[in-house]
Amino acid sequence: MRNTLKSLTKTIIMKPIYNLGTALSILIVACACSKSPKSAITEQPPVSTEPVKTEVGFWLTKGDQSVLFKKQNVALNFSATTNSNPTIEVDPSTTFQSIDGFGYTLTGGSASLINALPAADKDKLINELFGTSDDAIGVSYLRISIGASDLSAAPFTYNDLPDGETDEALAKFSLAKEQADLIPVLKKIVAVNPTIKILGSPWSAPIWMKTNKNFIGGSLKPEYYQTYAKYLVKYIQAMKAEGITIDAITPQNEPLHPGNNPSMYMEALDQANFIKTALGPIFQTAGITTKIIVYDHNADKPEYPIAILNDTEAKKYVDGSAFHLYAGSISALTQVHNAHPDKNVYFTEQWVGGPGNFSEDLKWHVSTLIVGATRNWSRNVLEWNLAADPNYNPHTDKGGCTTCLGAITVAPAVSRNVAYYVIGHASKFVKPGSVRIASNVISNLQNVAFKTPDGKNVLIVCNNNNDATVFNIKYNGKIVTSTLDKGAVATYVW
């Protein structure tokens, strides 16, 4: 994660939420005409709290934060009536990619903050994030760093040695530094959601394998390709022994950005050579079924993953390509899909820059990622990062992200920020195994639709107009009519 690059993204205007209050209801009383000898007070009838009969569930978040991911008690029932409103037509007969899940990067710093909570608070939070209860958001996909990321307190790998030493047998490999926080938190998460998918991404190989023998920058020496592949095998096996299954890995986080702390530079040709000569064959020999996903960097360089997939020897070991969006267009995911439609596409990272602006970033992240990435073939959407403290800590020195706002802030009281709601609008409803289905974008109502494994339809809509918009949802020849304020996000389920 490079601060200078990330400052260029539209998402720089993101503001944390602290101590959200409830709105004060004001009862307006009507006065009688001045000719009347007395003032007459008309009492309003009480608002019913009984659930209305509705065919469509409707969850809403408004940009002004007056409503935050709340189910609405309104009747939305399909009928054969017609009107002139713009209409989003959902067509389940046209299908696209399957969905693996929605979630966050559980950085080392996120794990430390969560693990430091009192036991009862920690369990409650983990159930809220990863569970299936009414008040949970059902996160189904996590990304973790293999070794430290720039949102760890300090850089490390699982085979750090004194200067001048090597360990090609990997006899000193150890997950000991993850036993304090990451592994205990992951075990609790897996207990709540045993099927959660976990992607591992390294920020750096052990520095004795690198050209500059430094955590920042440098490249993996070709003579250590075999050793590093075995290092990744040992990592997957060691995590499995802890009860944690690594579904996929990328060979390198942001391989074209050597300025992070930690980081490692890896050009496309080098990544292809590493995969076809070492990582793929060694995974195969060791019986490792963990997916290999290439690139894991910005959408401005689709030629990087395409170059790897054009190499037939490398391609046979590759499941797909992963993207971030600190540069480029989300449409690049379709470009890569079209070049190699037999390989998958993933969206694995996007930050929220503090302090920011809730309304603008809600709109941008939902429209561009939840809607945009999935409409461009992505099987997942992951926000960076799950948790930070009020000062955006912890992070590494000299290259760590200093303004990365978590989906939650741990102060130690927990507050929920915009990425919590961005992901929640999808993760709660679009379960793994869901399939994207066709829907049209009309009148600046950005949207995407899915069919879930249990047969439900889910439509996520963001109103990118400057005014409230009335529109229809059409399904099987019938419509329901709904209204969204400007910048509001809604999930409809039927």
Side-chain angles (χ1 to χ4, degrees):
M1 187 98 59
R2 179 171 55 191
N3 292 345
T4 54
L5 179 58
K6 292 189 173 180
S7 66
L8 296 176
T9 182
K10 291 181 183 178
T11 55
I12 197 168
I13 50 170
M14 190 69 60
K15 181 175 290 184
I17 310 168
Y18 302 112
N19 301 320
L20 292 177
T22 57
L24 177 66
S25 296
I26 301 174
L27 177 65
I28 302 175
V29 295
C31 294
C33 175
S34 58
K35 293 181 181 179
S36 236
K38 293 183 180 179
S39 293
I41 298 177
T42 303
E43 293 186 1
Q44 300 294 327
V47 176
S48 173
T49 58
E50 288 295 318
V52 300
K53 183 179 179 181
T54 182
E55 294 177 356
V56 181
F58 170 24
W59 282 259
L60 177 66
T61 297
K62 292 187 177 182
D64 64 5
Q65 304 178 52
S66 60
V67 180
L68 291 168
F69 197 48
K70 184 174 178 59
K71 188 175 184 180
Q72 302 301 289
N73 191 33
V74 297
L76 294 175
N77 297 304
F78 285 100
S79 73
T81 60
T82 60
N83 58 49
S84 60
N85 298 329
T87 299
I88 299 171
E89 184 163 2
V90 176
D91 177 13
S93 68
T94 302
T95 61
F96 301 91
Q97 79 277 20
S98 294
I99 298 299
D100 284 349
F102 297 85
Y104 306 100
T105 300
L106 177 67
T107 59
S110 297
S112 297
L113 291 166
I114 292 170
N115 204 37
L117 290 169
D121 294 343
K122 185 186 340 183
D123 289 345
K124 182 179 179 182
L125 176 63
I126 288 172
N127 276 281
E128 177 187 339
L129 290 169
F130 302 96
T132 57
S133 62
D134 287 347
D135 60 352
I137 63 170
V139 167
S140 51
Y141 206 117
L142 280 178
R143 181 175 181 235
I144 60 176
S145 59
I146 301 175
S149 74
D150 58 307
L151 291 189
S152 297
F156 66 87
T157 72
Y158 305 132
N159 198 289
D160 292 331
L161 304 173
D163 189 33
E165 290 188 18
T166 62
D167 179 22
E168 292 189 49
L170 301 173
K172 296 180 180 179
F173 177 96
S174 173
L175 290 182
K177 289 184 177 178
E178 306 289 26
Q179 295 290 352
D181 296 311
L182 180 67
I183 288 174
V185 170
L186 280 174
K187 285 182 175 181
K188 285 184 173 291
I189 291 169
V190 169
V192 171
N193 183 356
T195 61
I196 193 165
K197 290 189 182 298
I198 301 173
L199 166 70
S201 298
W203 265 238
S204 176
I207 64 174
W208 54 269
M209 299 184 191
K210 297 173 68 176
T211 54
N212 66 347
K213 294 183 169 54
N214 196 298
F215 279 111
I216 301 174
S219 299
L220 179 65
K221 290 184 174 182
E223 58 262 38
Y224 288 123
Y225 279 8
Q226 304 288 316
T227 306
Y228 189 46
K230 292 173 182 176
Y231 170 94
L232 294 172
V233 167
K234 288 183 81 72
Y235 164 74
I236 292 165
Q237 292 172 335
M239 292 294 275
K240 185 68 174 179
E242 297 287 349
I244 300 161
T245 298
I246 303 301
D247 179 71
I249 66 158
T250 63
Q252 176 59 39
N253 168 70
E254 297 190 344
L256 298 180
H257 170 34
N260 244 350
N261 184 17
S263 58
M264 188 169 75
Y265 185 74
M266 184 179 279
E267 293 184 354
L269 178 61
D270 297 326
Q271 191 162 122
N273 286 336
F274 173 60
I275 290 168
K276 71 183 180 182
T277 65
L279 188 62
I282 286 172
F283 268 25
Q284 202 168 62
T285 299
I288 298 295
T289 57
T290 299
K291 303 179 186 79
I292 298 170
I293 300 173
V294 301
Y295 191 42
D296 208 4
H297 206 171
N298 289 328
D300 63 334
K301 300 290 184 184
E303 63 271 19
Y304 188 115
I306 289 173
I308 297 172
L309 296 174
N310 284 346
D311 185 323
T312 56
E313 285 303 303
K315 179 180 179 176
K316 67 184 181 181
Y317 299 111
V318 173
D319 172 84
S321 309
F323 294 87
H324 308 174
L325 196 62
Y326 306 114
S329 167
I330 198 68
S331 64
L333 280 64
T334 288
Q335 183 180 341
V336 175
H337 166 81
N338 288 344
H340 291 275
D342 56 330
K343 296 299 179 181
N344 294 314
V345 174
Y346 301 88
F347 190 88
T348 50
E349 181 184 315
Q350 190 68 28
W351 84 325
V352 171
N357 179 296
F358 184 96
S359 61
E360 289 301 314
D361 287 311
L362 175 73
K363 184 169 62 175
W364 189 89
H365 279 245
V366 172
S367 296
T368 312
L369 305 182
I370 300 298
V371 173
T374 56
R375 289 187 80 100
N376 283 279
W377 297 96
S378 184
R379 296 175 68 96
N380 68 348
V381 175
L382 306 181
E383 290 270 341
W384 167 278
N385 54 309
L386 179 53
D389 76 7
N391 297 312
Y392 315 118
N393 290 316
H395 57 77
T396 58
D397 293 333
K398 298 177 182 178
C401 181
T402 58
T403 54
C404 283
L405 177 67
I408 60 172
T409 296
V410 180
V414 174
S415 55
R416 291 145 194 82
N417 302 321
V418 72
Y420 174 93
Y421 304 105
V422 168
I423 292 298
H425 267 279
S427 60
K428 186 174 180 69
F429 313 101
V430 187
K431 299 302 183 184
S434 297
V435 176
R436 182 169 73 87
I437 57 179
S439 64
N440 59 307
V441 175
I442 189 169
S443 298
N444 218 14
L445 296 165
Q446 296 297 318
N447 71 85
V448 64
F450 305 91
K451 177 74 77 174
T452 69
D454 60 357
K456 291 184 178 178
N457 300 283
V458 178
L459 177 68
I460 302 168
V461 183
C462 181
N463 180 12
N464 281 359
N465 294 300
N466 292 324
D467 299 293
T469 302
V470 181
F471 63 97
N472 302 322
I473 301 168
K474 186 175 183 179
Y475 180 76
N476 283 349
K478 296 184 178 181
I479 65 168
V480 294
T481 302
S482 186
T483 303
L484 284 183
D485 286 352
K486 67 174 184 179
V489 172
T491 301
Y492 300 91
V493 183
W494 68 96

